[in-house]
Amino acid sequence: MNIRRRLLLVVGAFTIFTGAVMVWAPTVGSTDISLARTFDRSIPWESNVDAQIFFVARLPRVLAGAMVGAALAAAGVVLQALLRNPLATPFTLGVSAGGSLGAMLAVTMNLEFGLLGVTSIPLASFAGSLIATAIVYALAASQRRGLSTSVLLLAGVTLNSFFSALILFVQYLADFTEALRAIRWMMGGLDVAGYAPIVAALPFLLLALAAFAVLPRTLNLLSAGTEAAAAKGINVVSAQRLAFFSASLATGAAVSLGGPIGFIGIIVPHLVRLLIGADHRIVLPASTLFGASFLVLCDLAARTLMAPLEIPVGVVTALIGGPFFLWLLVKRS
Amino acid sequence: MIATKITKKTKVTKVFGSNTKAFRSMFFVCFVVTFVFFVVVSAQPTPRRIISLVPALTEMLFAIGAGPQVVAVSTYDVEPPAVRSLPTVGALLDPDTEKIISLRPDLVLTYGSQTDLQAQLTAAKIPFFDYRHGGLDHIMVTMRALGARTGHVDQAEKAAQSLQSAIDAVRHRVAGRPKPRTLLVFGREPGSLRNIYASGGRGFLHDMLVAAGGADVLDDINQESAQISTEVVLARAPDVILEFNSSNRLNDADLKKVVDPWLKLSSVPAVKNKRVIVLLGSGLTVPGPRVAEGIEKMARALHP
């Protein structure tokens, strides 16, 4: 089967699946709502509980989940190819730790600024991610011969540990309730209750996705080795730079919106590879779509399994994703 | 201890057989040993140098007249004002054991989860008082226990009784009035409705709400603290949302900032009828002698 037909078939199937999940997810939750009432325009908004549950509580969550899941899964694929390391995740290069540190500082210093309806925590988180990205890039590019992926990896991992230590230190110094809030944020959460944070994160995410759209062929060559890629006429350094910055941007936007939700960035790409092979032209779009639906489903579990209590979505992704992935791994081999 | 004595006694009977005189004298010796043991254990000397690591207990100590015996407190302690000049020795998660021992306390009030500290105190032969938060009644129980331990039995009894009667007075006043279904919120991400923490159907905050004449909308959740989503707030549709805010004072603009995020949930009766009420003050979440003031505040908010 040629690549176009396979692409069409696989991406089509994933699109249908993700679409179905996104349509279905907001209709279920801890409460039973009537869809007829939800979309009944004759009932005033102020007294339409069903519509408010659908449009204020559920739909923003589903959208946020899809965005965060897509961003983390795609960033995972890109970084695994860029670093030529199957263990790479969006959190490997210290970007998310930078974002988390920003959020921790906003929580513990009780910063209460806001911009366009976005509160201090996501803003500080995004700023932290950008700073971390800049530091890692500056370190990796400081070598004369372009961008060194081994320096990138080592610098990223070191920065990750360094920021994690700072996070623990900030939490340790924080007052008890603030420390609790900070820890809760680290577990991830998608109950954004409104569209402002989604709208704010969307442009960055679209920018990253646009970059991802031109990457797949390059990633195929890069994952075979930089020399091989250069021999095929690829400008390796600019390709690496584009991959690194777009993956970092996606990660930063995702973390600012949902917190550092683990496992998506590693499980989804590998799952997709197990299912459909390693060609990035198919893996990248399929992972993006599957990341979206996977996180939406995990969040559905997070908001219904123990309702009326919430389970942190990061806990669900690990609890569902881990065993599922292992099962698939064993079954395939 | 007692068990070993009983076995000893049985052996004694076997050895001495029908020699009742010897048996009696042995029994007497056993009795005296046991008695002396209990006297020694129970007659701990009245502490003169107390360190409190739990703000609620610090407040209780001052309320029962044991304030002058307190030599150091935790870093979280701010009430009563007299504690602000005392040395601090860390808090729940980071007690400064070295500093605690160096202050030569003869009683340390610890929280139940501070097991490492308790082990260290035991090793240093420093007595400690073990405490965990419980329901509302537990406050009075703890006050009396502290009174007995610190040599202020009468004052503790008086303080506990007056606290109980202050609570009962509010209960009495609101009895028979309709109980508004209330969501009691004590934490969320500022400026948004993310990560809402509310009181479930257990613990002193829940008890305070009930005493103040409210019905807890999360009554069925058997937890002191519950993290709930906006969907749950919409679905439970509380008549009143009471929100604790640790600031002692808020101007109108800041108050509006605190209340504003709730307005999104316009179908909730509390929002519709403008009954999202912010209660100020850090003391509201301390299960100590100021709890009656907190209940009074809540009752006034619920039954204006």
Side-chain angles (χ1 to χ4, degrees), chain A residues 29-31 45-46 49 52-53 56-58 61 119 121 172 176 181 184 189 191-193 257 308-310, chain B residues 76 92-94 189-191 194-195 197 221 223 226-232 234-236 264-267 272:
Chain A
S30 57
T31 331
W45 174 250
E46 282 72 30
V49 182
Q52 291 203 358
I53 287 179
V56 179
R58 286 184 194 169
R61 272 187 96 138
T119 54
I121 296 174
Y172 182 74
F176 194 62
R181 265 175 51 205
R184 177 62 190 87
D191 190 16
V192 290
L257 189 56
L309 296 178
E310 282 268 299
Chain B
Y76 294 153
L92 182 66
L93 299 176
D94 57 346
E189 222 175 274
R194 298 180 78 165
N195 295 335
Y197 279 90
I221 299 178
Q223 281 193 14
Q227 200 225 317
I228 53 165
S229 61
T230 39
E231 172 161 348
V232 171
L234 285 163
R236 298 283 170 119
K264 252 181 255 169
L265 313 182
S266 55
S267 71
K272 221 187 284 178

Side-chain angles (χ1 to χ4, degrees), chain A:
Chain A
M1 205 180 337
N2 71 23
I3 176 74
R4 272 179 190 223
R5 275 196 62 182
R6 272 197 57 187
L7 182 70
L8 216 63
L9 201 72
V10 171
V11 172
F14 276 100
T15 307
I16 290 168
F17 177 67
T18 306
V21 167
M22 300 235 347
V23 170
W24 174 65
T27 64
V28 283
S30 57
T31 331
D32 280 329
I33 60 169
S34 138
L35 285 181
R37 261 185 71 87
T38 301
F39 295 101
D40 189 344
R41 288 287 193 86
S42 65
I43 307 170
W45 174 250
E46 282 72 30
S47 49
N48 196 341
V49 182
D50 296 30
Q52 291 203 358
I53 287 179
F54 189 91
F55 289 108
V56 179
R58 286 184 194 169
L59 196 56
R61 272 187 96 138
V62 169
L63 293 175
M67 282 168 62
V68 172
L72 292 177
V77 172
V78 171
L79 288 172
Q80 280 148 23
L82 173 68
L83 300 170
R84 299 176 62 204
N85 188 331
L87 293 177
T89 74
F91 303 164
T92 303
L93 293 187
V95 178
S96 73
S100 301
L101 181 61
M104 293 303 96
L105 289 172
V107 170
T108 53
M109 289 161 74
N110 257 319
L111 298 179
E112 285 194 22
F113 57 88
L115 196 71
L116 303 170
V118 182
T119 54
S120 58
I121 296 174
L123 289 175
S125 163
F126 192 60
S129 296
L130 293 184
I131 292 169
T133 307
I135 296 174
V136 174
Y137 178 75
L139 289 170
S142 65
Q143 302 244 321
R144 260 181 233 148
R145 286 181 303 121
L147 198 70
S148 157
T149 46
S150 60
V151 176
L152 194 65
L153 187 59
L154 287 174
V157 170
T158 310
L159 203 67
N160 202 3
S161 308
F162 181 72
F163 280 145
S164 303
L166 282 179
I167 290 168
L168 290 178
F169 189 53
V170 169
Q171 285 178 351
Y172 182 74
L173 292 181
D175 140 329
F176 194 62
T177 47
E178 285 164 0
L180 192 77
R181 265 175 51 205
I183 291 167
R184 177 62 190 87
W185 186 87
M186 295 288 290
M187 296 179 192
L190 294 165
D191 190 16
V192 290
Y195 297 92
I198 295 174
V199 172
L202 196 60
F204 301 107
L205 204 66
L206 289 177
L207 199 64
L209 287 178
F212 291 159
V214 301
L215 275 175
R217 279 176 68 90
T218 329
L219 290 180
N220 276 348
L221 294 170
L222 279 180
S223 52
T226 46
E227 283 86 3
K232 291 262 182 182
I234 297 267
N235 182 345
V236 172
V237 175
S238 67
Q240 286 175 327
R241 203 180 288 151
L242 182 65
F244 172 68
F245 280 118
S246 54
S248 299
L249 189 66
T251 307
V255 170
S256 76
L257 189 56
I261 300 172
F263 267 77
I264 302 272
I266 187 154
I267 284 179
V268 171
H270 285 297
L271 248 170
V272 171
R273 276 191 208 108
L274 281 171
L275 291 171
I276 59 164
D279 191 332
H280 286 97
R281 285 171 292 182
I282 304 178
V283 170
L284 190 56
S287 296
T288 310
L289 288 163
F290 188 58
S293 49
F294 182 73
L295 188 54
V296 169
L297 288 175
C298 285
D299 188 49
L300 180 64
R303 60 192 166 91
T304 50
L305 284 185
M306 277 174 67
L309 296 178
E310 282 268 299
I311 310 173
V313 70
V315 173
V316 178
T317 54
L319 286 181
I320 294 181
F324 181 53
F325 180 64
L326 289 178
W327 172 75
L328 204 76
L329 201 66
V330 171
K331 202 177 145 242
R332 272 297 173 115
S333 58

